[in-house]
């Protein structure tokens, strides 16, 4: 397929880099200031070298990427809340042109799921968004294949930064501020880590799963009960360890809503994944519990989910 | 879709029972002696009551099921080795009639993968077989979605009976014969457990994954290096435990072949699933390691995989 990639951060760059290996070509890529377009397929090395050297992917206007001749638009700009712009408009633009949309951006599916599905119904294009939940973990496609009607809940560890911090606090007996600083030094946590440590990112992923489970897109971040890890004291982890337990930031999605917060879980249990790994537990009506774990973030990991979605397009 | 179900054991019965809930109808079901056919869709309670009372599902000839008017044939007869008959001929008959085939029977995909894919190429029907590996665990569809070219290996715990026995031996310090007898009492192990404890069942599942990874169906059970768990002494599990490790029957599939045998693994590691649970680990080239675990057997669990496959048919 011919892809147009909007966003030239870690995910967009990795999609550009890996598309050829999956049998697809990238005919357009846009960052916030520019676009590169080539109907014959862009050369990823050339484009990425220009981005590194000049800070822009090309010389065209970014809006031209949406107008290019592609089969699927890959929306990989940063997640925004509320109206989920400009990601939502990018997706809408592609659907209005009867093109498919593959999202790595959580905003449109968490904050405007109903609007997005309505635009999809009015289009011959299809919307997919495996990459928005758990990186390379096939959470959304598994829920789809089982059928949302046959799943009662999806829960798990969905933020690698928060999980890294809790894992290190438990393993080393260190307090939150100390481990956060370490995580920032390692590049695991951002300079402003609030999106991760306050539970927002995990909540968005759970909102997306709740929307898929309920089918009607009634949930947004505003509906989620969210508590982060900033107030988890090191002493709580020590007490938990004495009892064979530990603490993880667990998010849960059901048809009734979304809850995210620090929870006590068995130290060697399935949910106690280490470091930046993610896990999604799916409760099925006829087949018990499924556990899916893997790398929940990263450019190539998320790009792999995007390209799996592209492969699933009709 | 309209389904014809061949085989009225635990899996066939569960498919009949659950199909309606997934929006499908079963228009034919056959056991070894008879068939029940109704173009309007069979009533599962009536058919299953007759099977329980009279030992047969209906009064038609079993071969008539293959000739019925259905969209997909569900092959759920017991797995056979070598020529994989009669399962292979059932699948062939459906493909020759340009119908889809969904297999729960491992024989045709493990022993005659190349022949089956050739018959699929000559048909407008499609072949799917998620239920043959790891019950409800979406192993095959995940490999397909990622693309076999982007996966280097798939390994895991793929036989619940062997895993139950090893788990109990380690937990209770009991020897193999004792735990086997207990598993037979519980119905976890069959009267003749050789298929499970000698590693044959796990090897077949790995052969299927190796065939999907290599794409050309060059592997059969005869190519697999297989060692079972019958010779694992209780003392080996004790020694392993002293070192924080345990023993599991691990199967591994790569493009180079299949190996199955008891392996030392970390006691609290990802592969150390308990009881009858299964796990599949998928090594990807760009997204690290994925772990998928869940119930690896059982009627409703396997029927769920069959019905997910039906949902994926074009």
């Amino acid at each position: 397929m011919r892809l147009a990639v909007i966003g030239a951060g870690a995910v967009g760059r990795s999609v550009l880099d890996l598309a050829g290996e999956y049998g697809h070509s990238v005919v357009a890529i846009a960052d916030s200031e520019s676009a590169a377009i080539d109907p014959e397929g862009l050369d990823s090395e050339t484009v990425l070298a220009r981005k590194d050297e000049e800070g822009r992917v090309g010389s065209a206007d970014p809006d031209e990427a949406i107008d290019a001749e592609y089969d699927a638009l890959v929306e990989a700009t940063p997640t925004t809340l509320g109206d989920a712009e400009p990601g939502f408009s990018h997706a809408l633009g592609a659907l209005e042109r009867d093109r498919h949309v593959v999202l790595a951006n959580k905003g449109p599916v968490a904050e405007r799921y109903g609007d997005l599905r309505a635009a999809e119904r009015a289009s011959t294009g299809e919307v997919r968004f495996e990459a928005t939940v758990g990186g390379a973990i096939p959470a959304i496609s598994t829920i789809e294949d089982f059928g949302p009607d046959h799943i009662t809940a999806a829960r798990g560890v969905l933020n690698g930064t928060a999980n890294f911090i809790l894992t290190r606090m438990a393993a080393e007996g260190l307090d939150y501020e100390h481990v956060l600083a370490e995580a920032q030094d390692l590049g695991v946590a951002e300079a402003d880590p609030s999106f991760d440590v306050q539970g927002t990112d995990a909540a968005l992923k759970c909102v997306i799963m709740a929307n898929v489970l309920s089918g009607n897109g009634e949930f947004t971040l505003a509906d989620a009960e969210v508590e982060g890890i900033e107030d988890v004291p090191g002493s709580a982890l020590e007490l938990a360890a004495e009892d064979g337990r530990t603490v993880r930031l667990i998010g849960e999605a059901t048809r009734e809503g979304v809850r995210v917060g620090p929870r006590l879980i068995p130290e060697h249990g399935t949910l106690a994944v280490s470091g930046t790994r993610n896990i999604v537990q799916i409760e099925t009506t006829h087949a018990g519990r499924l556990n899916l774990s893997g790398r929940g973030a990263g450019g190539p990991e998320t790009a792999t989910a995007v390209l799996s979605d592209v492969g699933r397009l009709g």
Side-chain angles (χ1 to χ4, degrees), chain A residues 51-111:
Chain A
K51 175 76 177 166
D52 287 339
E53 285 158 25
E54 302 172 25
R56 51 195 292 147
V57 292
S59 51
D61 186 87
D63 292 341
E64 290 181 43
I66 308 250
D67 271 328
E69 282 298 317
Y70 53 88
D71 303 298
L73 184 93
V74 176
E75 220 299 330
T77 64
T79 293
T80 54
L81 306 181
D83 64 4
E85 293 293 1
F88 184 83
S89 288
H90 296 156
L92 193 65
L95 289 170
E96 284 173 350
R97 289 164 177 80
D98 285 329
R99 313 294 172 72
H100 301 300
V101 173
V102 175
L103 293 154
N105 174 350
K106 292 178 278 292
V109 257
E111 297 286 59

Side-chain angles (χ1 to χ4, degrees), chain A residues 246-269:
Chain A
T246 190
V247 176
R248 287 292 185 272
L249 182 67
I250 305 291
E252 181 165 71
T254 68
R255 261 175 280 283
E256 279 69 54
V258 165
R259 293 175 62 204
V260 176
R263 309 276 184 251
L264 269 176
I265 59 167
E267 189 177 11
H268 298 298

Side-chain angles (χ1 to χ4, degrees), chain A residues 1 3 14-25 136 300-311:
Chain A
M1 284 204 175
L3 309 179
S14 288
V15 171
L16 180 61
D17 194 33
L18 297 177
E21 198 182 305
Y22 283 75
H24 307 300
S25 64
E301 292 82 356
T302 308
T304 295
V306 166
L307 292 163
S308 294
D309 264 354
V310 172

Side-chain angles (χ1 to χ4, degrees), chain A residues 153-157 209 250-253 271 279-283 289:
Chain A
R155 78 176 68 79
V157 172
M209 292 196 291
I250 305 291
E252 181 165 71
L271 283 173
I279 182 166
V280 180
Q281 265 187 353
I282 297 174
E283 300 287 347
R289 177 181 290 171

